[in-house]
Amino acid sequence: MNFSHCTKEQAVEQAARSGRWDDDLRAHAAACSVCADIALVVRFMQLDGELARREAGLPDPGRIWWKAHLREKQMAAERAVRPIAVCQRVACLWGTLTATSILVWEWPRLSSRLDGLKLLLHQAASPGSRPQTDLFAFIGGSLFMFLFSILITLYASWAEE
Amino acid sequence: MTSEFPLTLEGMGERAEERPGGTLSLDEQTFNEFYAKTSPSLLAYLSRVSGNRTVAHDLLQEAYYHFLRTRLPGMDNAGTKSYLFRIATNLLRDHFRAAKRRRLPLPEAPPDADTSERIQLRSDLEPVFLELKPRERELLWLAYVEGYSHQEVAEILGLKALSIRLLLSRCRRKLARMLRERGLGPED
Ligand SMILES: [Zn+2]
């Protein structure tokens, strides 16, 4: 026998569980500190286990099953619409990339037109040029709104996910 | 209550796997029979290890929910039950982690409307058990109330089978000392 183990552990545990002790084993458990601990702990745990099992108030199994069933259906539905969300996101990304590519590609031509507009803006000091200024503001505003709406759509798509 | 607990297969061989979704692993009647056999001992385990009846009820429902989502081909009754206990143990671990993070107190279970003798016995025994660490409570409960072998305890707790003997002997010594200090040891 060493400090923490004893060859009779198993037999003592069985006896403590069943309550059937023979005299030799009882004498051994009284003298051996390892087996005394086993006998005491097993008896305590059995008593507490019995007490805990007898406590009333188990939830209704039907309710658990139906809740699980509903959660599973909900998850299946979420899985089903996931490809649509992915398609939406891809379409948004594609739109943004296309718009950006067109802007970059067409920038030299656009730039020269903007220069023309700038010139018109300088002439706006005279009272007769007000409609040209409005045109410039309209183009700038539209461009800003376009980019802003793309950003909002992208954000909404991500937030939904 | 929801849990982040992922169903893992470690230690359970190749038998259990998470279902891809759609249907549950058991029909309602089979589940009811399985529940009747396993729920009293599972609730007792959850109740004593968590030290809180309300938490134990939540975890019990969550454990069965995870169980119902798992495919268990060729697993016998004992294996199925120990797998359920493994799920419950992981949920307990999540619960203790969350409670620690949020610094929530872990209240003791309120006594039920029961005979005064049982309340007395419970109020003697339960505080002693709750003084142990959650892992120690799990070990002792699985070994001495559920009667699982060292190998099974190791599988449920996700520990090495060889370490169970040593851990169990330490817990036993600690609990025996606590019981004797409170005069709950043998009369001799
Ligand atoms: Zn001994």
Side-chain angles (χ1 to χ4, degrees):
Chain A
M1 185 189 349
N2 67 28
F3 182 66
S4 56
H5 299 299
C6 171
T7 51
K8 295 198 172 170
E9 274 179 29
Q10 208 88 43
V12 169
E13 190 184 322
Q14 285 296 321
R17 240 179 235 289
S18 63
R20 287 191 292 270
W21 292 87
D22 64 50
D23 292 342
D24 287 349
L25 203 59
R26 195 187 290 278
H28 171 81
C32 166
S33 67
V34 174
C35 292
D37 283 356
I38 292 175
L40 177 59
V41 166
V42 168
R43 205 175 59 170
F44 167 83
M45 294 303 298
Q46 293 274 295
L47 199 60
D48 199 33
E50 196 52 45
L51 212 59
R53 278 204 195 96
R54 271 195 276 157
E55 280 160 14
L58 275 166
D60 174 42
R63 204 166 148 247
I64 293 178
W65 194 87
W66 273 105
K67 255 172 113 174
H69 183 66
L70 288 176
R71 272 167 82 168
E72 195 65 6
K73 275 182 102 174
Q74 195 182 344
M75 281 173 81
E78 277 167 18
R79 269 192 296 271
V81 297
R82 203 171 293 159
I84 298 171
V86 171
C87 285
Q88 271 180 336
R89 198 180 294 174
V90 168
C92 281
L93 269 173
W94 183 252
T96 315
L97 280 174
T98 310
T100 315
S101 307
I102 289 171
L103 268 175
V104 170
W105 189 258
E106 292 290 315
W107 185 248
R109 211 180 304 170
L110 210 64
S111 170
S112 67
R113 287 194 185 172
L114 281 173
D115 284 345
L117 277 172
K118 266 185 206 166
L119 198 67
L120 284 172
L121 194 66
H122 279 300
Q123 290 166 355
S126 60
S129 63
R130 188 151 178 80
Q132 301 293 344
T133 317
D134 286 349
L135 178 70
F136 181 70
F138 175 74
I139 292 170
S142 303
L143 212 65
F144 173 76
M145 285 306 286
F146 173 68
L147 287 171
F148 185 71
S149 61
I150 283 177
L151 279 173
I152 289 288
T153 317
L154 273 174
Y155 173 76
S157 161
W158 251 276
E160 214 173 288
E161 189 69 11
Chain B
M1 111 176 238
T2 55
S3 164
E4 296 155 12
F5 165 64
L7 283 177
T8 53
L9 310 178
E10 283 168 61
M12 299 307 292
E14 296 300 314
R15 295 166 298 170
E17 59 179 279
E18 196 176 357
R19 295 174 67 80
T23 52
L24 301 174
S25 61
L26 300 176
D27 62 65
E28 196 176 354
Q29 199 189 334
T30 317
F31 174 70
N32 285 351
E33 285 163 16
F34 177 72
Y35 184 85
K37 278 183 203 155
T38 53
S39 58
S41 45
L42 187 66
L43 184 63
Y45 173 64
L46 289 168
S47 180
R48 283 300 189 270
V49 176
S50 72
N52 184 314
R53 293 275 292 169
T54 313
V55 168
H57 270 80
D58 288 345
L59 296 183
L60 180 98
Q61 297 186 44
E62 200 63 26
Y64 281 108
Y65 168 65
H66 281 291
F67 178 82
L68 280 167
R69 290 201 65 217
T70 312
R71 208 189 292 274
L72 309 151
M75 203 184 264
D76 60 6
N77 282 344
T80 314
K81 191 184 167 195
S82 72
Y83 186 66
L84 181 68
F85 270 77
R86 184 181 166 91
I87 294 174
T89 303
N90 281 313
L91 289 172
L92 277 166
R93 213 161 296 164
D94 284 352
H95 162 71
F96 284 118
R97 262 191 224 130
K100 208 172 174 183
R101 244 193 335 258
R102 293 181 215 146
R103 292 180 184 175
L104 293 175
L106 297 169
E108 283 179 23
D112 299 306
D114 211 332
T115 62
S116 57
E117 196 185 341
R118 262 171 65 185
I119 291 174
Q120 183 56 48
L121 192 58
R122 188 176 162 183
S123 62
D124 283 345
L125 302 184
E126 201 171 1
V128 185
F129 196 57
L130 284 175
E131 269 185 47
L132 296 166
K133 291 177 186 153
R135 174 47 63 86
E136 294 170 334
R137 286 180 241 158
E138 288 168 357
L139 262 167
L140 289 167
W141 197 275
L142 292 170
Y144 297 125
V145 178
E146 289 304 321
Y148 281 121
S149 68
H150 290 183
Q151 179 65 40
E152 288 167 323
V153 172
E155 282 183 1
I156 291 170
L157 298 182
L159 296 171
K160 287 189 180 119
L162 285 172
S163 63
I164 299 296
R165 192 181 163 94
L166 184 66
L167 290 171
L168 208 50
S169 125
R170 276 191 204 145
C171 296
R172 227 166 36 213
R173 222 179 311 155
K174 185 174 172 182
L175 180 58
R177 194 187 61 237
M178 283 159 59
L179 289 169
R180 287 193 188 100
E181 279 168 5
R182 283 162 184 76
L184 294 166
E187 292 77 28
D188 54 332

